[in-house]
Amino acid sequence: MEKILNYINGTLTEPVNGNFFNNINPAEGKPYGLIPDSNKEDVAQATAAAKHTFAAWSTTPARNRSSILIKIAKLIERDLDKLALAESIDQGKPVTLAKSLDIPRAAANIRFYATAILHESSEAHFTDNEAINYTQHTPIGVVGCISPWNLPLYLFTWKIAPALAVGCTVVAKPSEITPMTAYLFSKLCIEAGLPAGVLNIVHGVGAKAGQAIIEHPEIKAISFTGGTATGKIIAATAGPMFKKLSLELGGKNPNIIFADCDFEKAVTTSIQSSFSNQGEICLCGSRIFVERPLYEKFVAAFKVRTEALVMGDPLDEKTNLGAIASETHLNKILSYIELAKQEGGTIIQGGNQVKLTGRCADGYFLEPTIITGLSHTCRTNQEEIFGPVVTIMPFDTEEEVLQYANSTTYGLAATIWTENLKRAHRVAAEVKSGIVWVNCWLFRDLRTPFGGMKQSGIGREGGFEALKFFTDEKNVCIKF
Ligand code: NAD
């Protein structure tokens, strides 16, 4: 049983209260390690260390901060196989996905911000011949970064990399469902020579360790990715403390398929956007809308491709769908499949929990599931399920599909499939989502700002925006 430890002031350490809880391997349904059950005392120690180191780290030349971060990125690349295996065991995702997506992206996140900080600039405005106004950004201080379980190291590094690059010191908490890669990451930070206290990782449950980070008065900004319900609690706590907030929350993303699409590409990519990572990606297109002339053909082809997906042991390289991340989450998804039936939906594919044999006999496996026959207004089509479950609905006009697409409280991502350029622009302009992909999905340029509209979040991550988020901004006017 591997015992995960907190990383505080440069040292791997047990929680102050000495308490641990089980780390479950979702493919086996069994504990395989222990996680610190940290509380506000650990957060206080981590914050004190971060505060102490802030003066030195924030005045370390950007090129030196950059070179330490590059070292960390190289160590991630060196340990690609080990980290991918750890992430697959911790979260249940296919090891091939961890190897091709999660871990390379974690290294890319760090490289991106390690180099971005070398190219940061600020604005100056000359006011006629009378004055110059310039904008100055300075690191805001100690910041809190809290990440979810679905893309563990990918999202953890996405938050901490810009904060560290800009000169902030960090108290971070990965999800208690998937803490292992953040723990291995803390060892890489020590190996790379990251000064003590610059990054502190406190493990534990959200309501205790997470909430203590949000409440700590010395933590000046919070970057959070997780569910919308948790985002509301965080906003309610941090808002009155006037902390800077970036909230990346849930989604219920439309995947809009027009009859003039490249059919083969639309079907192939829709399989990925529906079921990658067991549908546990905030950007997955869980509501598929198909223009009526193509509807029957699309549903038939989509069903055949879904049937062909291999669900099984995440460590098997042939596996397309691994385990659901936790038993609680599996039960939540199953309850939504029941709800869909009650709401009059037809399960045309999947819908059942699966019992595998051997090592994975007690794991949390669920068939990829396709539901038809539902209205866009029902709860199944309004609430985030966050699993391998999609609904498919027909539409007749652009106006109609835009109304369907925009009918939820979420606005994270949308995908549009059409070969008609004018329509692509028209629909992209009207769909209320922070990210719109046309004829592709999950294509990311890290310079592009990332974030949601409506209840999918506030603030933007990615690009230079993220560097700015972790700073105080000042505008100075000098009169000649
Ligand atoms: P969650 O909200 O339950 O937990 C996220 C993190 O917040 C965890 O580390 C958790 O311990 C912590 N937390 C929980 N309660 C807290 C509190 N009161 N104070 C501080 N921290 C607290 O979310 P999850 O189940 O881990 O992740 C799934 C959700 O994340 C889905 O809704 C998904 O759409 C969303 N998500 C969004 C994005 C995005 O970029 N918008 C990306 C990935 C996942």
Side-chain angles (χ1 to χ4, degrees):
M1 291 271 249
E2 179 144 20
K3 208 181 208 185
I4 284 174
L5 297 171
N6 289 334
Y7 171 49
I8 296 178
N9 205 18
T11 306
L12 298 174
T13 173
E14 296 210 353
V16 175
N17 61 18
N19 295 338
F20 287 80
F21 59 95
N22 283 335
N23 191 12
I24 310 286
N25 173 342
E28 296 186 355
K30 292 192 188 83
Y32 81 106
L34 292 169
I35 309 169
D37 187 10
S38 310
N39 61 25
K40 60 181 176 194
E41 290 180 81
D42 305 281
V43 170
Q45 284 188 358
T47 309
K51 192 177 175 204
H52 179 76
T53 319
F54 176 70
W57 182 248
S58 58
T59 52
T60 297
R63 64 179 179 280
N64 295 2
R65 293 198 301 267
S66 171
S67 66
I68 293 182
L69 289 171
I70 296 273
K71 264 191 212 161
I72 297 174
K74 284 186 179 159
L75 292 175
I76 294 176
E77 284 155 357
R78 182 198 69 189
D79 286 357
L80 171 73
D81 289 344
K82 181 179 170 188
L83 289 164
L85 181 65
E87 188 135 309
S88 173
I89 293 170
D90 225 22
Q91 199 244 333
K93 70 175 63 206
V95 68
T96 48
L97 187 69
K99 223 184 265 185
S100 62
L101 175 74
D102 296 57
I103 308 304
R105 173 63 191 272
N109 288 338
I110 299 200
R111 271 185 194 283
F112 179 83
Y113 284 108
T115 49
I117 195 64
L118 302 177
H119 303 277
E120 210 209 5
S121 58
S122 72
E123 287 185 6
H125 300 100
F126 290 87
T127 315
D128 302 320
N129 264 335
E130 282 187 69
I132 177 174
N133 296 270
Y134 64 84
T135 305
Q136 187 189 17
H137 288 104
T138 46
I140 197 167
V142 181
V143 301
C145 297
I146 299 183
S147 55
W149 51 257
N150 63 322
L151 297 166
L153 194 61
Y154 170 142
L155 289 172
F156 188 73
T157 50
W158 183 232
K159 307 196 152 293
I160 64 170
L164 296 177
V166 88
C168 288
T169 53
V170 176
V171 178
K173 194 193 86 62
S175 170
E176 60 273 34
I177 316 243
T178 54
M180 185 52 91
T181 43
Y183 172 56
L184 297 176
F185 181 80
S186 56
K187 293 186 179 180
L188 298 184
C189 291
I190 294 170
E191 189 180 340
L194 187 71
V198 168
L199 171 65
N200 303 274
I201 303 177
V202 180
H203 294 274
V205 297
K208 215 192 288 180
Q211 186 73 22
I213 293 174
I214 309 299
E215 286 173 1
H216 200 295
E218 293 293 346
I219 293 182
K220 306 294 179 200
I222 303 288
S223 173
F224 169 81
T225 299
T228 296
T230 315
K232 280 184 189 161
I233 298 172
I234 289 174
T237 310
M241 298 175 83
F242 301 106
K243 296 190 179 197
K244 256 182 136 174
L245 265 185
S246 167
L247 301 174
E248 295 293 342
L249 309 175
K252 188 76 181 173
N253 309 308
N255 177 8
I256 304 171
I257 299 172
F258 287 97
D260 67 356
C261 69
D262 178 329
F263 184 73
E264 180 51 35
K265 267 196 201 157
V267 176
T268 306
T269 309
S270 294
I271 289 287
Q272 290 164 6
S273 66
S274 302
F275 301 124
S276 291
N277 205 34
Q278 302 73 244
E280 296 163 332
I281 299 182
C282 55
L283 305 164
C284 277
S286 52
R287 295 178 297 149
I288 306 180
F289 299 107
V290 187
E291 200 173 4
R292 202 170 301 270
L294 196 66
Y295 181 76
E296 298 298 337
K297 183 179 168 192
F298 180 89
V299 170
F302 190 78
K303 181 170 159 37
V304 168
R305 302 285 180 91
T306 304
E307 276 165 2
L309 291 172
V310 179
M311 195 193 48
D313 187 337
L315 301 185
D316 186 333
E317 304 239 323
K318 289 191 293 299
T319 294
N320 302 121
L321 269 91
I324 300 298
S326 70
E327 191 173 17
T328 312
H329 193 53
L330 171 70
N331 289 332
K332 177 189 155 189
I333 301 170
L334 286 168
S335 76
Y336 271 105
I337 294 172
E338 270 318 298
L339 175 71
K341 288 181 199 160
Q342 285 161 24
E343 290 182 322
T346 306
I347 314 288
I348 63 159
Q349 175 67 35
N352 302 303
Q353 187 178 353
V354 178
K355 285 279 165 203
L356 299 180
T357 52
R359 182 182 87 86
C360 297
D362 295 321
Y364 314 134
F365 292 88
L366 178 68
E367 291 172 327
T369 300
I370 310 172
I371 307 168
T372 57
L374 286 173
S375 127
H376 70 282
T377 55
C378 68
R379 276 184 58 207
T380 308
N381 272 325
Q382 291 288 314
E383 297 175 17
E384 187 186 44
I385 300 174
F386 210 54
V389 179
V390 289
T391 61
I392 313 186
M393 287 159 278
F395 69 89
D396 290 301
T397 64
E398 247 175 70
E399 294 69 32
E400 186 187 5
V401 77
L402 278 165
Q403 190 214 326
Y404 294 172
N406 292 335
S407 67
T408 74
T409 53
Y410 294 106
L412 189 55
T415 308
I416 301 167
W417 291 94
T418 178
E419 294 293 298
N420 179 332
L421 187 62
K422 285 186 186 167
R423 171 156 44 209
H425 284 297
R426 217 167 37 230
V427 176
E430 292 298 323
V431 77
K432 297 268 179 280
S433 302
I435 308 142
V436 181
W437 282 293
V438 178
N439 298 334
C440 61
W441 176 72
L442 206 59
F443 189 94
R444 289 283 295 131
D445 179 326
L446 300 189
R447 291 170 298 182
T448 311
F450 174 93
M453 292 183 181
K454 300 194 274 183
Q455 293 192 19
S456 288
I458 52 170
R460 287 291 176 270
E461 298 191 342
F464 287 90
E465 291 297 315
L467 291 174
K468 291 210 176 85
F469 172 75
F470 290 109
T471 63
D472 274 323
E473 183 181 295
K474 185 186 295 172
N475 290 290
V476 180
C477 174
I478 304 177
K479 189 99 167 54
F480 298 148

